[in-house]
Structures are given as structure tokens and as C-alpha cells.
Amino acid sequence: MKFRKKSKVLLVPYPAQGHVTPMLKLASLLLNHGLNPIVITPNFIQINSKEDGISIISIPDGLEDGTPRDFFAIENAMENYMPYHFEKLVQEYEFSGKEEDGVVCVIVDLLASWAVKVANKLGIQVAGFWPAMLATYRLFDSIPDMLTNGIISETGCPLHNGPISISLGQPTLRSDNLPWLIGNTTARISRFKFWTKTMERSRTLKWLLVNTFPDECHKVRNTTILNTKIDQSQDCPQILPIGPLNTHVTIKNVSLWEEDSSCLDWLDKQVVNSVLYISFGSWVSPIGEAKVNDLAFALELLKRPFIWVLGPTWREGLPKGYLERISKQGKIVSWAPQIDVLQHETVGCYLTHCGWNSTVEAIQSKKRLLCYPIAGDQFVNCAYIVQKWRIGVRMDGFGLKDLEEGLKRVMEDDEMSERIGRLNEMTMGKVVSSRAMANLTTFICDIRI
């Protein structure tokens, strides 16, 4: 499919690893369809991707060097500083005098919804991108109904302890696991306001591209909270599942950090199915120093080989002399080539925070899961992993007993491998992948000018 006129598509991810990676993969697919993808990031993001044909342009974020790029600092930059620079950039493309250099569409990660306002202001087609399960989007989209039905307060605080079901017949979620309930009271209120604003902007979109498999979108139609059915049958935006993107495209070296590939050599020396791989993702601060300490002791006492992804900052929670003591039993790295690790035959189980990309990669690699969700959509993903798909077990702590019992339940479930195999085919098989790519083609046809 070739575009004779406007061919540029600007893609605006939220500046975190779990958002940049799927956006780059989407960019690669657009490139294959004859479009000219340009990924826009704040200047503190350094993407190592070497994918030919995908341009990556940085714009200022207004934050001084040394300022922690946490959730709230990034939100302030996105709302108050980056729109001006993004608007200037878009105008340069739109009014360059060359029609073929124009912008046909802007695709915006919903967590970067500030860019929706800019695209609307300039009269350019804009589509949303949701990098996680549709079930999580539906949960956020039900905020107005939760307010109306007295299920949460105006600040997002749960008013009842009843279970939340994403959809009839689907997993339930504890009310204290709502995705915006992170940090202290002030932080929770701020996050709730962020999501309220984000979802209001999303309802102005014509399309929403979702990094999930088509069957999930058919099964998640409405939300039931405390036995109250919440109707979510509106047709806007049009939901188009185009994932999981992991299975459609491979991009070399999309990590924001340098990967330590020495862990692959270490894995080669281990026994098949013996290694426990541990990673809590890149965005939310892992688990705190106290829990790092607890997990470290438990792993040492367990005497099972392990690879643990743990950044330098969080290593302060390790017991004194720990790295020397476990040098033969385990390996701790700052960042790992995760998909290569998960697909290694010596890895038998994955202790994960249940981020969506990690969940998809585990299913793709057919690995059993120990689940310790920390924040955001991870609780929803965990509910599906444990309750619906039954390919993992949730842990409530990091003591030796927690670890031993969790591993026993996961590794001794003889039918779990079969369930993982079926889920792999249901989410990543040829039929479902073909449907996902058909949805992407439909979207590309829609935006043609």
C-alpha cells in the first residue's frame, strides 16, 4: 500500500520502556505498509533502536538535568512544556510546501494524551494507542459510572470493599487494587485526576489501536461492579485490536538501557528448566529496599539458580556481602535481554510484576509465572493470569515460605504447560495474528487522504 500524498505518521509514546517498545513495533508495521513513521520522545529518552526507516525525534521536556523523571515530573512536562514544541514540529511538516511531506495521522499513547489536544488544534487526524489489555482500558473508562453509582469518591477512593469484575464471567479485582491507588493519598488523588483527564480525551478519538489479541476485545464488553452493570457500548472510539505486537514484528535493540547479555552465557551452564528469572519491570520503582532484602535472603536459602534484574539503585537493599555469597548460585544484572532469557530452555519460571509486555513475552515463551503485581494495570493482568488463564500463581510476600509454596504450586501443576500452550495459540497463532493485521490494514485505509 503506497501513499502518494501525505505519508508521515507521528507516533507519541509515553516515555517509559513498556510504552516505547510496542510503539516502535507499531512504527515498524506502518513502515511496511508504505508510511513514514516518526517517533516523538522527550529529550531524556535515548532509544537504541537501529531500525532502518523509523525516524526518532526528541523535543525538549523543560526539566533541568538531574531532575528525577518520575510520574509527576513527566506529567508536568507533558502538559505544560512539550505541547508547544510538538506543535512547532508538526507545523514544520505540515507547511513545508511539499504535500508528500505532510502528516497523515498522529498516533498517541493514551498516557501521553496531551498530544491529542495538539493534533485536534491543528486539524490532523489522531488515533489513540493503548499498549495494554483492553480490560484495563474498560476499567478506566468506567470511572464516570463508578462515581455515579457511589462506588468510588470524587477523589477515586473506594467506598465499598466489593469485588470488581472487568466483564461478566471474567476475573475479579479487589477494590484496593484499582490502578490509580499508588503511593500516599496526595499521589493517589493526582493519579486519579490524570486518568480522568486521559479518558475524557480518549472519548474524542475516532480510533483506538489496542496492543491485545482480537478475542479479548470480543469478551470484554462491559463492567460489573458490586453487581451493578455498567454499560460501555458506545462506538467511539472504534476499538481495533492489533496485537500482541510482540508476535508481529521484531525490532533489534529497543531497550532504553544497555542489556547485559552475559546472563545468556550463564544460562547455558545451568540445568534445563531449573532457573528462576526475576524482573519487576522498568517504570514503577520495584518493591522497596525492605522487600529487596527479604527476597534476597529467600533466594539464597532456596538454593535454586536464579537471574535477578535489579538496577544499581535498588541494590542498596541487598544484604552485606550478598553478591559474593551467591556468585555461584545466581546472577544479578541491571538489565537483561528479556525475550532471549525467557526463551532459554534452562529458565523454568518467571517471577514478574505482571506488566503487559512481560506477560505477553512469558506467554510467547510458554513460561510459568509467579506473580507479584505492584501498581497500575499489573493487578488486572495478574487477575487474568491467575484466575482466567491459570498459568501462574500470585504471591503475597517474599519470605522463604512464600517463595517455596509459590514455586511448588506452579512447577507441580502438570496441566499448566498444556494451558500455556493453548493460550499461546489463542493469542499468537496464525489465525488471530491474521485478524489483528487485518484490523491494522483497516485503520490504514481509513486514514488515507
Side-chain angles (χ1 to χ4, degrees), residues 19 52 383 408 448:
H19 295 253
D52 291 337
K408 182 177 181 180
R448 290 191 66 176

Side-chain angles (χ1 to χ4, degrees), residues 325-337:
R325 294 203 306 273
I326 58 90
S327 60
K328 294 183 179 180
Q329 176 193 351
K331 188 171 182 63
I332 295 180
V333 297
S334 296
W335 199 246

Side-chain angles (χ1 to χ4, degrees), residues 74-93:
I74 292 173
E75 182 190 9
N76 182 62
M78 291 193 303
E79 292 294 328
N80 301 312
Y81 197 86
M82 291 170 62
Y84 169 78
H85 296 279
F86 182 56
E87 183 174 338
K88 280 184 60 179
L89 180 68
V90 176
Q91 287 176 328
E92 288 176 10
Y93 287 134

Side-chain angles (χ1 to χ4, degrees), residues 17 20-25 28 39 45-52 54 56 249-261 264 335-340 361:
Q17 181 74 66
V20 171
T21 298
M23 192 67 96
L24 282 171
K25 292 185 175 184
S28 181
V39 179
I45 290 287
Q46 300 296 320
I47 299 175
N48 297 319
S49 176
K50 300 176 182 177
E51 196 74 7
D52 291 337
I54 299 177
I56 299 171
V249 61
T250 301
I251 296 181
K252 296 179 180 179
N253 194 18
V254 297
S255 176
L256 304 184
W257 299 278
E258 185 175 354
E259 296 173 342
D260 187 344
S261 59
L264 299 176
W335 199 246
Q338 180 158 291
I339 192 65
D340 293 328
E361 288 170 354

